[in-house]
């Protein structure tokens, strides 16, 4: 334990603070110090710039999030850079090894398998989810009786947690008594092994991912409601049919939202974990997703340095794919701003 924190805990314990609350005291003291610094800075800024009240109030109100972000996100990220350069088993002190963890990662065949499985999942599942959510949103955008009920039904599965989803689909796709094979048997088709078959495990997870397109569907639906009706009226006057209005009015107006859902889908697909964890990597590492392999090294093999190196490799992969997607979207996404028009002309 850090000597300073130990001294603070001993001091607080001597004040008669209950033992269960003692670990919280250093954190509370840190918050008090941070808010004291922020308060003094705000007081000094207000004396120097009397008209900056709104700016000061803005920074004060967002300071809890900024402090939490700095302590619980930026801090661990920075420390993980150092940890990735060490060999650390959480018990003995970290031992500096330089870039040995990264060298080992590039030579580890299971890292290649994890990248292959994760990228394959993302390449197939993201377009399918994006297209299905968009089609469902188009259908549910119609002003017909009962649409609110169907919108709710489509959205509800996205509220189910990943573990509950996986447990449910382990039963649905059970090769012996699962619902899927039971339905296939009634029409004369012998069902596959699903999660128990290395050839079918990943397609099963991809199929399972389509169950939760309700979240993206709601975003698409909101975008469709925001498309100006006068654009459709102008297109109809010019003689455009349904397909031409869809292609020349709906698609350009919805392109930023499609890009948003595609980006969040790419980032989410590369961080998939629960399915691989519940399936224990699947038969023959068919569900060895990258984050699951990272977790396996960190909390089963207690190789925190190697796991941190894997985390930064994944970060670089996600950053590269996100950058390529954003760059490639410049000529396909329509923005109703001067900046967007300039980008399209270039």
């Amino acid at each position: 334990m850090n000597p300073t924190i130990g001294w603070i805990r001993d001091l607080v314990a001597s004040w008669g603070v209950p033992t269960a609350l003692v670990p919280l005291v250093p954190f509370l003291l840190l918050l008090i110090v941070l808010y004291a610094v922020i308060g003094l800075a705000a007081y000094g800024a207000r004396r120097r710039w009397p008209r900056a009240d709104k700016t000061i109030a803005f920074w004060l109100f967002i300071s809890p999030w900024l402090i939490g972000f700095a302590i619980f996100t930026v801090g661990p990220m920075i420390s993980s850079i150092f940890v990735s350069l060490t060999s650390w088993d959480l018990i003995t002190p970290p031992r500096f090894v330089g870039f040995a963890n990264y060298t080992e990662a590039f030579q580890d065949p299971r890292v290649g398998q994890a990248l292959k499985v994760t990228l394959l999942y993302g390449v197939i599942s993201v377009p399918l989810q994006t297209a299905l959510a968009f089609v469902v949103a188009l259908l549910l955008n119609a002003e017909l009786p009962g649409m609110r009920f169907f919108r709710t039904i489509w959205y509800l599965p996205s509220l189910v947690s990943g573990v509950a989803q996986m447990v449910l689909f382990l039963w649905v796709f059970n090769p012996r008594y699962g619902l899927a094979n039971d339905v296939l048997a009634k029409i004369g088709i012998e069902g596959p092994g699903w999660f128990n078959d290395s050839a079918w495990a990943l397609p099963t997870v991809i199929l399972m991912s389509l169950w939760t397109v309700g979240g993206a569907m709601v975003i698409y639906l909101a975008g469709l409601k925001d498309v100006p009706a006068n654009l459709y009226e102008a297109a109809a006057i010019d003689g455009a049919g349904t397909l031409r209005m869809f292609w020349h009015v709906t698609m350009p107006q919805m392109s930023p939202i499609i890009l948003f859902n595609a980006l969040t889908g790419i980032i989410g697909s590369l961080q998939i974990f629960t399915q691989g964890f519940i399936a224990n990597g699947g038969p023959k590492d068919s569900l060895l997703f990258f984050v699951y392999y990272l977790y396996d090294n960190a909390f089963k093999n207690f190789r925190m340095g190697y796991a941190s190196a894997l985390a930064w490799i994944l970060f670089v992969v996600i950053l590269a794919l996100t950058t390529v997607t954003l760059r490639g979207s410049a000529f396909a996404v329509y923005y109703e701003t001067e900046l967007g028009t300039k980008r399209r002309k270039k």
Side-chain angles (χ1 to χ4, degrees):
M1 181 188 296
N2 185 288
T4 304
I5 294 179
W7 176 79
I8 294 174
R9 291 185 63 174
D10 294 339
L11 178 63
V12 172
S14 66
W15 293 345
V17 176
T19 305
L21 299 179
V22 169
L24 296 176
V25 173
F27 177 71
L28 294 176
L29 289 176
L30 177 62
L31 285 181
I32 292 172
V33 171
L34 286 174
Y35 273 106
V37 172
I38 292 174
L40 289 173
Y43 177 75
R46 187 173 182 181
R47 285 177 60 87
R48 186 170 182 178
W49 299 288
R51 297 182 179 180
D53 288 352
K54 292 183 178 179
T55 303
I56 295 171
F58 165 78
W59 287 107
L60 284 176
F61 276 113
I62 70 167
S63 61
W65 179 87
L66 288 176
I67 293 171
F69 180 73
I71 295 175
F72 299 112
T73 302
V74 177
M77 285 183 66
I78 295 174
S79 65
S80 70
I81 298 176
F82 168 75
V83 174
S84 70
L85 303 175
T86 67
S87 175
W88 186 31
D89 59 4
L90 294 177
I91 300 174
T92 58
R95 179 172 56 87
F96 184 78
V97 295
F99 292 97
N101 289 322
Y102 293 93
T103 303
E104 180 183 350
F106 287 115
Q107 297 174 351
D108 187 350
R110 298 196 76 197
V111 170
Q113 173 66 10
L115 276 174
K116 173 187 171 183
V117 171
T118 306
L119 290 175
L120 190 60
Y121 170 80
V123 167
I124 299 175
S125 68
V126 173
L128 287 177
Q129 291 177 30
T130 304
L132 179 60
F134 190 50
V135 170
V136 172
L138 288 172
L139 294 174
L140 296 180
N141 191 41
E143 297 297 335
L144 295 174
M147 279 295 123
R148 292 184 179 180
F149 171 76
F150 288 108
R151 291 168 188 168
T152 304
I153 293 299
W154 271 97
Y155 178 70
L156 282 177
S158 63
L159 301 177
V160 182
S161 66
V163 175
Q165 288 179 28
M166 192 62 184
V167 171
L168 171 64
F169 281 98
L170 281 174
W171 170 75
V172 172
F173 292 115
N174 189 288
R176 293 185 178 180
Y177 52 81
L179 180 63
N181 280 2
D182 186 46
V183 172
L184 291 174
K186 290 183 178 180
I187 59 176
I189 300 176
E190 183 180 355
W194 303 110
F195 288 110
N196 295 337
D197 187 343
S198 59
W200 277 90
L202 186 59
T204 304
V205 173
I206 293 172
L207 185 63
M208 188 182 85
S209 69
L210 301 180
W211 192 56
T212 56
V213 298
M217 178 271 296
V218 169
I219 298 175
Y220 283 132
L221 194 57
L224 289 170
K225 295 292 185 183
D226 198 45
V227 177
N230 63 313
L231 295 180
Y232 291 110
E233 294 171 359
I237 292 173
D238 290 338
T242 303
L243 290 178
R244 291 182 67 86
M245 282 194 287
F246 171 77
W247 187 253
H248 293 287
V249 177
T250 304
M251 287 300 292
Q253 292 289 319
M254 293 295 295
S255 57
I257 300 175
I258 295 173
L259 174 63
F260 170 78
N261 277 332
L263 280 176
T264 54
I266 291 170
I267 295 171
S269 67
L270 295 179
Q271 299 181 66
I272 182 173
F273 166 75
T274 306
Q275 290 81 348
F277 176 74
I278 299 296
N280 200 24
K284 299 180 182 179
D285 286 342
S286 56
L287 294 179
L288 184 68
F289 296 111
F290 199 90
V291 176
Y292 171 68
Y293 186 54
L294 186 158
Y295 166 86
D296 197 56
N297 278 281
F299 299 106
K300 288 186 179 180
N301 300 331
F302 296 103
R303 301 187 63 194
M304 294 301 297
Y306 189 54
S308 297
L310 293 178
W312 278 102
I313 291 173
L314 180 62
F315 173 79
V316 171
V317 171
I318 293 176
L319 181 64
L321 289 177
T322 304
T323 303
V324 169
T325 304
L326 283 173
R327 292 292 183 182
S329 68
F331 302 99
V333 177
Y334 171 77
Y335 296 99
E336 293 185 0
T337 61
E338 185 179 356
L339 176 62
T341 304
K342 290 181 179 178
R343 288 178 62 187
R344 286 175 60 84
K345 288 182 179 179
K346 291 181 180 179

